[in-house]
Amino acid sequence: MMNLFAKTLLACAVSAATISTAYAADPLQVYGKLNVSAQYNDVADETETTIQSNASRFGVKGDFDLGNDLQAFYTIEYEVDTGDDAKDNFKARNQFVGLKGNFGLVSVGRNDTMLKISQGKVDQFNDLAGDVKNVFKGENRMAQTATYMTPMFGDFQVGVTYVADGDSEQNTDNGVSMAATYGDADLKQSPIYAAIAYDSKVKGYDTGRATVQGKVVGIVLGGMYQQQEKVDSGITDNGYLLSAAYDINDITLKGQYQDMDNKGDSWSIGADYKLAKPTKLFAFYTTNTWYDSGDVDDSYVGLGLEHKF
């Protein structure tokens, strides 16, 4: 059923993108990326090689001018797991509809929480074995959300996500995720990006997070501090992340370290080689150490290719 729906979605997207309609003011944008790596994995003292997909995705999005400075917008996105031998290899990602105007924007549907969004681009190994989600809580995409984001006040913006207790991962609790951000996460419009965020009862955790990233003599430096507590447990864990990236012509050298109490630590090094604006080769090495498994080290070596469309 999922594959049938995905094929129908693809056919509709291609048709809408190539055929002029009465709704010329509502262009449909087809987008996505394929990120696939060949890896050698040493996990729990067992080794294997994999050709795996790293959050490859396909989506459609667009907006429509409603007049009076009001726009409708929407996104429907799926993850495509090229490494899954099952035919049903589509998984739901962000899928929402909303309105935006002078008041800011509001959206409803499946969406990333404001705390997750607040990390910006500080995670240099996003979607790979060194992803921050493997060590920190809070990287949540929830199914039943309503999000409001204010207009930009200079370089400042505030947002809040409400997570309904009907979400199957909420354990009958309503959740709230809030964030205040400063600057541009791409560091193109501002030299620094900073954010503070807090989750209350989101996927069973109360989480506070502070993130900062900026350029110093050509080096992109990032840091994150997080405090997380399982709801009603009374146990608070603290963690931090440090990352760095440096461009040498078409090559970007990257490094990252993260640590969380009672969970583990992770360090990664890697390099990206830009072949063209949408295409890059990349290589990485990651070691994750889990404290609750007798300090067992899991290691990953990968070489991959990413193309965005």
Side-chain angles (χ1 to χ4, degrees):
M1 180 65 70
M2 182 64 75
N3 268 350
L4 178 60
F5 174 78
K7 290 176 181 177
T8 303
L9 176 64
L10 177 59
C12 291
V14 172
S15 297
T18 56
I19 300 175
S20 298
T21 72
Y23 297 102
D26 184 18
L28 180 71
Q29 179 183 347
V30 179
Y31 71 95
K33 72 174 184 179
L34 286 168
N35 182 309
V36 180
S37 57
Q39 293 185 199
Y40 175 81
N41 309 318
D42 186 348
V43 179
D45 292 328
E46 294 187 3
T47 63
E48 67 172 354
T49 57
T50 57
I51 307 294
Q52 68 181 56
S53 178
N54 304 301
S56 298
R57 66 200 64 168
F58 166 83
V60 294
K61 61 182 178 180
D63 54 51
F64 186 79
D65 188 355
L66 301 172
N68 299 315
D69 295 320
L70 188 65
Q71 284 185 314
F73 63 94
Y74 58 90
T75 292
I76 302 175
E77 184 175 295
Y78 282 90
E79 179 177 338
V80 183
D81 189 352
T82 67
D84 191 341
D85 59 3
K87 292 184 178 180
D88 284 335
N89 63 346
F90 281 78
K91 302 176 184 177
R93 288 177 59 87
N94 290 337
Q95 301 169 350
F96 55 82
V97 64
L99 296 171
K100 56 185 174 182
N102 295 330
F103 60 89
L105 67 84
V106 60
S107 64
V108 289
R110 179 187 298 273
N111 210 346
D112 294 339
T113 64
M114 286 305 307
L115 184 136
K116 180 180 180 182
I117 293 170
S118 75
Q119 72 159 271
K121 303 293 182 67
V122 72
D123 183 3
Q124 294 289 350
F125 292 85
N126 185 45
D127 295 331
L128 301 176
D131 193 309
V132 66
K133 70 182 180 183
N134 295 322
V135 181
F136 287 18
K137 297 294 183 180
E139 295 298 290
N140 298 318
R141 177 179 298 115
M142 307 303 291
Q144 299 188 25
T145 72
T147 295
Y148 169 70
M149 298 180 70
T150 68
M152 294 292 295
F153 299 107
D155 289 324
F156 289 94
Q157 190 173 37
V158 176
V160 58
T161 299
Y162 167 76
V163 186
D165 58 6
D167 190 306
S168 61
E169 295 185 294
Q170 277 300 105
N171 298 319
T172 71
D173 286 327
N174 293 305
V176 177
S177 181
M178 302 168 284
T181 64
Y182 170 83
D184 168 30
D186 291 320
L187 301 178
K188 294 180 180 178
Q189 305 298 323
S190 63
I192 191 169
Y193 171 80
I196 55 173
Y198 182 72
D199 274 2
S200 175
K201 296 184 178 180
V202 177
K203 207 171 180 179
Y205 275 82
D206 296 332
T207 305
R209 172 180 290 183
T211 304
V212 63
Q213 190 174 38
K215 284 187 178 181
V216 179
V217 294
I219 303 174
V220 177
L221 298 175
M224 178 189 291
Y225 172 76
Q226 180 160 306
Q227 189 174 84
Q228 60 191 41
E229 178 184 344
K230 191 172 184 178
V231 174
D232 299 328
S233 72
I235 301 175
T236 300
D237 295 327
N238 297 278
Y240 65 93
L241 174 149
L242 300 172
S243 65
Y246 182 67
D247 291 336
I248 304 175
N249 296 323
D250 291 329
I251 298 174
T252 301
L253 304 178
K254 305 187 297 184
Q256 185 162 293
Y257 178 79
Q258 50 189 315
D259 180 270
M260 177 60 69
D261 294 343
N262 298 312
K263 175 62 176 180
D265 61 37
S266 173
W267 65 268
S268 302
I269 56 173
D272 297 343
Y273 177 61
K274 184 186 293 185
L275 298 171
K277 185 176 181 180
T279 310
K280 70 177 182 180
L281 291 169
F282 63 92
F284 68 90
Y285 174 80
T286 292
T287 293
N288 297 330
T289 302
W290 310 121
Y291 300 153
D292 59 356
S293 301
D295 290 351
V296 171
D297 291 341
D298 296 338
S299 60
Y300 307 82
V301 180
L303 178 65
L305 174 65
E306 178 183 275
H307 178 75
K308 296 180 179 180
F309 58 91

